[in-house]
Amino acid sequence: MNEEDMQLEQRHLGIVLSKIEQAKNTINESLDKLGKENIERLKELSEDGSSSRGYGSNDFDVLLEQLHQKNLSFNLKGKYQTLNELKFLSSEPYFSRIDLYNKSSNTDERYYIGKFSYTEDKPIITDWRSKVASVYYRYRYPQKDVGYDTPSGKEVRDLKLKRTFEIQDGELIKYYNNDLQLDESSIIKEKIEKRTGGVLEDIIQTIQKSQLDIIEADPRQICVVQGCVGSGKSTVAIHKLAHIFFNYPKLVHPEKCLMVTKSQILAGYLSTLFPKLGIFDVTYKTLRDLVYNIIFREELKIKFDFDEGQDTSLYNKKKIESIQNQLQKVIKGYESKIKNIFKDPGLKLYASFKYSYDETPYENVIELLKDTLEEIKIQKYQLKLNPDGLNSWLNKQNLMNLRKILRSANRIRNDLQNNAVDKTVKSLNIDISSTLNYTDVLVYISVYLELIGMREYKKYEYCVVDESQDFSLLEYLILNKIVLRGRFALFGDLNQSLENDGVRNWDDIKSVITDARVANKFSLEENYRSTKQIIDYANNILKPYTDKYLPKSIDRVGEEPGEMLFLNEDEMLEEFRNSLSNDLKDIHKSIGVIVFENNDFTVEKVKEIMLKENIDKNENGFIKLTSNQKINYTPLGIYLMKSDDCKGLEFSKVYVLNLNTKKIKNYSDARKAFVSVTRAMNELQVFGVK
């Protein structure tokens, strides 16, 4: 670091922080003023409602509506969001600086890049999602003719300086000049070392080119990401959402965006990152919850039990294609019925209606009914205006013919509503009179969405699927029908597939996500989570079964994983208790305790040990993770879970109990063990029974 540059940067930081503080005060003052005005107006009405001012019984509701409209015009939600962004910026306003030279105008340009933007009469802080910010992630200085895309075309500049800052609580600690001599991996390692695990952290300061390619990929095209364990798939997925909302505000709205997972645990864990990136309105659900919503929103009259029939592996690619072919026959049948309405010689003149193949048969017939009712309204109006005119006979004839169309269209609509779905599902050998299991429900809903569609709710504008390898083709069939035009981002790792019915080949998904115009495939090969020693240990578990998609290390060095075998489970648990007691003396990290064999009895034993160690009274807390429970994640918690529930999580230290790697005999168990041990960032201890 240059001392003079350090002083200049400190001075600049002080100016920026002062501007941010002023902006915060201005917003707070306006919010306080609005709040006082609202309270005073409500108080006035309350006190004078029965006085000579003559307020009526509905005045209170009128006032509330007035206040609501006033708050909307004030953009109350936007003000609070800006205030939250400014609060963050007051601690760390930016993390980098780039200096560019514009040859065409012979001018120098300087950008300070942060998590959020801040502008007065000119940009003070540039958002990391802006087009120009990509220069920071993609290039080293000095370089000539570096390019970045803009809505008006490609811009070309000379990169004269790239600088990374470390700012904490508004204080400049140090900076790096990211020239060609600097080893940028050292910055990444330093950032990772400071993480405690337990919650997801943003990576805006350390986004790599391979990750940026995914984040910036066109959201109108399906994005498939094969990412090795610890490559930041989930984190990149959420950063991609933040990037889309910033750059495509008219295409994808947060409240119309869906993030779907298999487990409630993972859904809750992912949500810890949303507010850190200024995301508040995204819907995040498990697929099961999503299916529940469809059943109740659409008022489907079926009995079901989701605890039965969870394995959908029978519905492989061939069987899915068979269902799709059968559905197409049914759809063609209803298309013919709608078109046949106009084969009546008297109705041919009214055959302007065009059947849309982008819509379901039900949506088509509803559109026909709307058009017909509108035309009937027009003809009635014309007849009313001039009942005895020259055109009255024609108006009456038109009305008679239009009512014929109306009756025919209503018959088709009623048939679709009352018979079509049940009849088609029965033809697929599913007894709808009985209680449907999970698989049967998925088939039922897929038929319903193909023939009827979403009546009450519009399709989602974008969907991110995390741990996408664990979703079956049948489940993707459902998702394809509730998401607009195949706008998906799929993040997964085939080496972490723990479901019997999960995806084995990414290309198979194309057979069900049929609306996607283009499929972009990406690969993430480097593990940023774990030390080299932990990665080597994990890879050795998988190598007897596969050499595909094994994670590469960034050479972050740590301790060798410990592996101990005992004569019985009691001995193993006693050693675990002793080891955990040492951790509790000075806990400054998250700890994950994973029971490898999904044994409730062992889990309860481990829980008893933790409670005896007064972990529940520890300020950092003890949290037992269960698949259908929402919890609050903390960076310093102690988490207990079965191996089936640990997918997607990370902890500074991990204990894996009841795992003897020498007893692994098949690829399925190897994947399960691989997933368990790779939850560890810095320390791994494996305890098993001989």
Side-chain angles (χ1 to χ4, degrees):
M1 287 188 304
N2 180 284
E3 185 62 31
E4 184 180 352
D5 281 352
M6 186 70 173
Q7 290 178 3
L8 289 170
E9 293 293 2
Q10 284 177 329
R11 194 177 303 133
H12 177 81
L13 176 62
I15 294 169
V16 172
L17 289 173
S18 177
K19 291 178 180 291
I20 290 170
E21 196 62 31
Q22 290 174 13
K24 282 166 57 182
N25 291 337
T26 300
I27 293 177
N28 277 321
E29 287 172 5
S30 64
L31 289 171
D32 288 344
K33 184 181 178 182
L34 180 69
K36 288 176 182 178
E37 288 176 354
N38 287 346
I39 291 170
E40 287 173 3
R41 190 73 181 91
L42 287 168
K43 187 178 178 181
E44 178 186 319
L45 185 64
S46 175
E47 291 176 351
D48 299 337
S50 59
S51 72
S52 59
R53 295 192 180 208
Y55 289 117
S57 58
N58 295 323
D59 278 353
F60 194 78
D61 290 335
V62 171
L63 177 63
L64 287 179
E65 180 59 27
Q66 289 173 347
L67 293 178
H68 175 65
Q69 293 302 323
K70 183 178 180 181
N71 291 339
L72 285 176
S73 64
F74 183 73
N75 189 17
L76 193 62
K77 182 180 178 181
K79 289 287 194 301
Y80 274 115
Q81 185 166 336
T82 301
L83 189 60
N84 284 329
E85 292 175 1
L86 289 171
K87 286 178 180 177
F88 175 86
L89 293 178
S90 64
S91 173
E92 188 180 359
Y94 46 81
F95 59 86
S96 70
R97 164 187 162 184
I98 54 173
D99 291 3
L100 306 177
Y101 174 66
N102 188 340
K103 284 184 281 191
S104 62
S105 62
N106 192 26
T107 55
D108 291 316
E109 303 168 355
R110 179 174 297 174
Y111 300 91
Y112 284 88
I113 301 168
K115 184 179 286 188
F116 305 108
S117 65
Y118 176 62
T119 300
E120 292 184 348
D121 52 341
K122 64 177 183 179
I124 308 297
I125 303 169
T126 299
D127 195 290
W128 71 274
R129 297 166 292 186
S130 66
K131 300 296 186 182
V132 70
S134 67
V135 173
Y136 171 78
Y137 297 112
R138 294 193 179 279
Y139 302 102
R140 306 278 288 276
Y141 90 95
Q143 277 197 66
K144 291 188 175 183
D145 298 328
V146 302
Y148 61 94
D149 293 323
T150 73
S152 57
K154 196 174 186 84
E155 294 286 339
V156 179
R157 301 286 191 272
D158 291 347
L159 179 57
K160 297 173 64 178
L161 178 68
K162 173 180 170 179
R163 180 170 287 172
T164 299
F165 301 101
E166 185 176 327
I167 300 173
Q168 295 178 2
D169 299 325
E171 294 289 329
L172 178 59
I173 308 302
K174 59 184 175 183
Y175 72 82
Y176 310 89
N177 283 338
N178 302 60
D179 57 20
L180 296 173
Q181 283 73 49
L182 179 69
D183 178 14
E184 289 192 326
S185 66
S186 62
I187 301 176
I188 299 173
K189 292 174 187 176
E190 187 178 335
K191 294 288 183 185
I192 294 171
E193 290 287 352
K194 293 178 180 178
R195 287 162 44 194
T196 62
V199 293
L200 274 181
E201 300 289 346
D202 70 75
I203 57 169
I204 59 172
Q205 298 183 33
T206 57
I207 293 172
Q208 300 300 288
K209 290 180 183 178
S210 58
Q211 297 171 328
L212 188 65
D213 288 340
I214 297 165
I215 291 169
E216 291 186 338
D218 193 333
R220 291 164 293 192
Q221 302 168 355
I222 185 171
C223 173
V224 180
V225 180
Q226 163 57 47
C228 73
V229 65
S231 60
K233 293 185 298 298
S234 301
T235 308
V236 170
I238 299 173
H239 282 69
K240 181 172 180 64
L241 287 179
H243 189 274
I244 290 172
F245 301 150
F246 184 86
N247 288 284
Y248 300 88
K250 294 181 179 180
L251 183 72
V252 179
H253 302 82
E255 66 275 12
K256 297 177 182 177
C257 184
L258 171 69
M259 189 165 196
V260 63
T261 67
K262 269 290 193 160
S263 80
Q264 196 67 256
I265 292 172
L266 186 54
Y269 183 71
L270 296 177
S271 70
T272 61
L273 183 51
F274 286 144
K276 298 174 186 177
L277 292 173
I279 301 173
F280 300 102
D281 297 324
V282 169
T283 300
Y284 51 94
K285 294 183 179 292
T286 66
L287 190 74
R288 178 179 286 209
D289 287 341
L290 204 60
V291 172
Y292 269 125
N293 283 356
I294 293 172
I295 291 172
F296 291 115
R297 284 177 177 179
E298 297 298 315
E299 300 180 352
L300 303 184
K301 294 177 174 58
I302 55 173
K303 297 178 290 183
F304 58 90
D305 181 2
F306 280 1
D307 291 331
E308 298 292 329
Q310 295 186 52
D311 185 355
T312 64
S313 56
L314 287 174
Y315 287 84
N316 54 24
K317 185 179 176 181
K318 187 176 180 180
K319 192 161 184 177
I320 293 287
E321 288 174 350
S322 174
I323 291 174
Q324 289 174 318
N325 290 335
Q326 196 160 339
L327 276 168
Q328 282 306 307
K329 290 178 182 177
V330 176
I331 290 168
K332 285 288 184 184
Y334 279 101
E335 180 190 349
S336 295
K337 286 181 180 180
I338 293 171
K339 289 181 176 179
N340 284 343
I341 294 174
F342 303 100
K343 285 189 175 180
D344 184 322
L347 303 180
K348 284 184 178 181
L349 293 172
Y350 304 90
S352 59
F353 175 79
K354 299 296 181 185
Y355 191 94
S356 173
Y357 298 102
D358 293 328
E359 295 183 330
T360 67
Y362 182 82
E363 289 166 341
N364 271 283
V365 79
I366 291 297
E367 193 64 31
L368 174 59
L369 285 167
K370 285 180 180 177
D371 291 351
T372 305
L373 286 168
E374 185 63 29
E375 188 60 34
I376 287 173
K377 186 178 177 182
I378 293 170
Q379 295 295 326
K380 281 183 174 179
Y381 180 73
Q382 290 178 347
L383 190 61
K384 186 179 179 181
L385 284 178
N386 196 359
D388 300 317
L390 292 174
N391 292 325
S392 62
W393 180 86
L394 183 60
N395 293 142
K396 291 175 183 177
Q397 191 66 33
N398 285 340
L399 280 171
M400 184 180 69
N401 289 328
L402 287 167
R403 284 168 178 146
K404 283 184 182 179
I405 295 172
L406 196 67
R407 287 193 295 272
S408 297
N410 270 319
R411 281 195 294 271
I412 297 171
R413 183 193 63 178
N414 292 335
D415 186 43
L416 279 162
Q417 280 183 323
N418 302 318
N419 304 313
V421 176
D422 287 358
K423 186 178 178 181
T424 305
V425 172
K426 284 180 182 177
S427 73
L428 298 172
N429 299 316
I430 293 174
D431 182 7
I432 60 170
S433 64
S434 64
T435 300
L436 304 184
N437 62 33
Y438 179 69
T439 301
D440 292 340
V441 168
L442 292 181
V443 175
Y444 188 97
I445 289 176
S446 69
V447 172
Y448 177 87
L449 294 175
E450 279 283 4
L451 299 181
I452 308 297
M454 300 277 279
R455 291 186 297 176
E456 299 299 322
Y457 294 86
K458 291 185 178 180
K459 291 184 176 183
Y460 291 101
E461 293 174 345
Y462 198 76
C463 176
V464 172
V465 183
D466 197 44
E467 302 295 342
S468 55
Q469 76 282 345
D470 287 336
F471 290 73
S472 69
L473 291 181
L474 186 57
E475 290 167 325
Y476 278 117
L477 195 63
I478 302 293
L479 288 172
N480 183 55
K481 288 300 169 184
I482 63 173
V483 177
L484 193 66
R485 299 191 185 100
R487 294 176 185 168
F488 285 90
L490 311 179
F491 292 80
D493 178 15
L494 297 178
N495 276 336
Q496 297 186 68
S497 180
L498 301 183
E499 304 289 343
N500 294 328
D501 52 357
V503 174
R504 294 291 181 265
N505 187 327
W506 294 122
D507 289 336
D508 289 346
I509 295 175
K510 295 177 185 176
S511 64
V512 289
I513 301 181
T514 53
D515 294 336
R517 296 175 185 173
V518 180
N520 291 320
K521 294 176 72 174
F522 299 90
S523 177
L524 295 174
E525 299 176 349
E526 288 189 300
N527 179 299
Y528 299 100
R529 174 189 299 149
S530 308
T531 63
K532 183 179 185 304
Q533 287 76 12
I534 294 172
I535 293 170
D536 289 344
Y537 180 86
N539 284 344
N540 286 333
I541 293 174
L542 275 188
K543 279 179 179 177
Y545 305 96
T546 184
D547 59 356
K548 289 184 177 179
Y549 312 127
L550 297 180
K552 297 176 183 176
S553 170
I554 60 170
D555 291 326
R556 188 167 69 86
V557 179
E559 298 178 4
E560 288 289 342
E563 183 173 354
M564 298 178 66
L565 297 177
F566 302 88
L567 291 174
N568 53 59
E569 187 174 270
D570 289 339
E571 284 188 12
M572 178 194 72
L573 293 177
E574 180 61 22
E575 181 59 34
F576 164 69
R577 188 189 66 79
N578 292 333
S579 183
L580 191 64
S581 296
N582 290 327
D583 289 326
L584 292 176
K585 292 176 183 176
D586 182 27
I587 186 167
H588 56 277
K589 58 197 173 188
S590 64
I591 298 175
V593 183
I594 301 170
V595 179
F596 181 69
E597 295 179 357
N598 292 310
N599 188 319
D600 289 325
F601 185 66
T602 304
V603 171
E604 287 304 311
K605 278 188 176 181
V606 175
K607 183 180 176 181
E608 286 176 14
I609 290 171
M610 291 186 170
L611 295 178
K612 285 179 182 178
E613 292 293 324
N614 289 323
I615 294 177
D616 60 325
K617 298 177 182 178
N618 187 283
E619 63 179 6
N620 301 302
F622 161 57
I623 301 167
K624 180 184 176 184
L625 298 178
T626 54
S627 56
N628 294 314
Q629 184 182 6
K630 291 183 178 179
I631 58 102
N632 292 320
Y633 292 85
T634 63
L636 303 179
I638 302 171
Y639 298 82
L640 170 64
M641 72 214 79
K642 297 177 183 178
S643 56
D644 282 355
D645 295 327
C646 72
K647 183 77 69 68
L649 310 181
E650 65 179 27
F651 309 97
S652 180
K653 182 174 184 178
V654 167
Y655 291 94
V656 183
L657 307 181
N658 269 348
L659 171 59
N660 183 344
T661 57
K662 295 180 177 62
K663 289 185 177 181
I664 294 173
K665 303 297 183 185
N666 54 61
Y667 189 19
S668 178
D669 284 347
R671 289 198 300 267
K672 185 176 171 181
F674 177 80
V675 170
S676 297
V677 302
T678 53
R679 301 309 94 198
M681 298 169 61
N682 303 309
E683 300 175 75
L684 173 65
Q685 186 65 60
V686 179
F687 292 155
V689 177
K690 293 180 180 177

